[in-house]
Amino acid sequence: MSHEPFWTEDPAPLLRVEPGFRLADTPSSGHPGFVGGKREGHRALAQGATALADLQERLFACSRLGDERRILLVLQAMDTAGKGGIVKHVMGSVDPQGVQLVAFKKPTDEELAHDFLWRIRREAPEAGMIGVFDRSHYEDVLIGRVRELAPAEEIERRYGAINAFEAELADAGTTIVKVMLHISRDEQRERLLERLDRPDKHWKFNPGDIDERERWNDYAEAYQVAFDRTSAPHAPWYVVPADHKWYARLAVQHLLIDALDRMQLEWPAADYDVAEQRERLLATG
């Protein structure tokens, strides 16, 4: 963690879903691996932003010369957990040319006419990019399961289809980072109340959020099944405590920095004679 000296312990293994993981036993208010509070967290995020931007540029530069590697960040959460804040405060620190952001909404009629992964495959990140799925194919085994939008046997089939799809992405050079922002029911209530109490936040509120909140336990169970069925070495899940927005942003930033660091990216060597081109340029006056 040479880029991030502010971590007292690597948070990645602390947040990664391993066999035996239980969401119900996982705190949503801690900050594993970090000693300090909001002020220190904001300073650390700014420091990490420099490292993330540098590594992202290297990834993008390498792709211009044929490197096929890319990253896919999957963001899942209950409403108000902070997915938008991750996009704004973490991904906002890098060159937007190197980011493919997709916010999946309710499927269109055209999308519903195809397999559930059809629209996902079309948005998979290209070489050199950091792809961000704000919600994802997991909606089809989360809300799909809770709301019974598909038969039980179809939901079961989808877990296998997701595993096969993610293995295919990994084989093609995609580093997959799947994040569930873990917020408590009490914290969600406070954030929803803030949206109702502030006119400048009304646009963020959806009455349907309360309907989904009433199914909190069903969603928790659906997430647990998803973790049990789709966690894999090539596509790990990370459950990030999100009651403190500053920590969630810092942790996701680290997961991206860690993924890029592991690629051991170097600036691509010039495929031309640098000295010769320098002389030519100077000769132009």
Side-chain angles (χ1 to χ4, degrees), residues 138-158:
Y138 283 95
E139 292 294 285
D140 294 281
V141 293
L142 292 169
I143 190 170
R145 182 188 183 96
V146 171
R147 290 285 185 176
E148 299 180 346
L149 300 179
E153 57 271 21
E154 169 60 14
I155 298 296
E156 286 298 312
R157 182 194 72 82
R158 289 175 182 177

Side-chain angles (χ1 to χ4, degrees), residues 47-142:
Q47 186 174 346
T50 301
L52 180 60
D54 175 74
L55 289 166
Q56 180 267 335
E57 187 177 4
R58 292 184 188 218
L59 177 66
F60 186 80
C62 288
S63 73
R64 302 306 94 175
L65 294 180
D67 194 321
E68 289 295 318
R69 291 176 294 177
R70 75 287 308 266
I71 286 178
L72 173 60
L73 172 65
V74 173
L75 296 174
Q76 286 290 154
M78 295 294 286
D79 295 314
T80 78
K83 298 186 307 300
I86 298 296
V87 172
K88 180 178 180 179
H89 297 283
V90 178
M91 301 313 304
S93 68
V94 305
D95 187 338
Q97 291 185 96
V99 177
Q100 283 182 234
L101 170 64
V102 186
F104 288 101
K105 306 297 184 183
K106 181 180 178 180
T108 64
D109 289 342
E110 180 186 17
E111 290 167 344
L112 288 171
H114 296 81
D115 181 72
F116 78 105
L117 287 173
W118 179 76
R119 66 174 184 161
I120 308 297
R121 288 181 180 278
R122 300 172 71 192
E123 303 292 352
E126 300 173 2
M129 306 295 283
I130 298 179
V132 182
F133 284 178
D134 180 348
R135 300 193 186 275
S136 67
H137 41 302
Y138 283 95
E139 292 294 285
D140 294 281
V141 293
L142 292 169

Side-chain angles (χ1 to χ4, degrees), residues 14 19 23 54 75 80 82 93 112 142 156 158 172 185 189 197 200 206 212 216 227:
L14 302 177
L23 181 62
D54 175 74
L75 296 174
T80 78
S93 68
L112 288 171
L142 292 169
E156 286 298 312
R158 289 175 182 177
R185 203 165 187 269
R189 183 188 63 238
D197 291 342
D200 63 321
N206 183 335
E212 298 303 293
W216 188 276
F227 297 150

Side-chain angles (χ1 to χ4, degrees), residues 224-257:
Q224 183 65 56
V225 174
F227 297 150
D228 293 343
R229 300 288 296 275
T230 65
S231 293
H234 61 271
W237 273 106
Y238 298 89
V239 173
V240 175
D243 281 359
H244 300 296
K245 294 178 182 179
W246 64 264
Y247 177 78
R249 295 164 186 171
L250 190 62
V252 173
Q253 182 191 72
H254 169 76
L255 294 174
L256 290 173
I257 290 174

Side-chain angles (χ1 to χ4, degrees), residues 162-180:
I162 286 172
N163 288 333
F165 169 61
E166 291 177 349
E168 178 185 324
L169 290 180
D171 288 344
T174 304
T175 296
I176 303 170
V177 179
K178 300 185 294 192
V179 171
M180 186 262 195

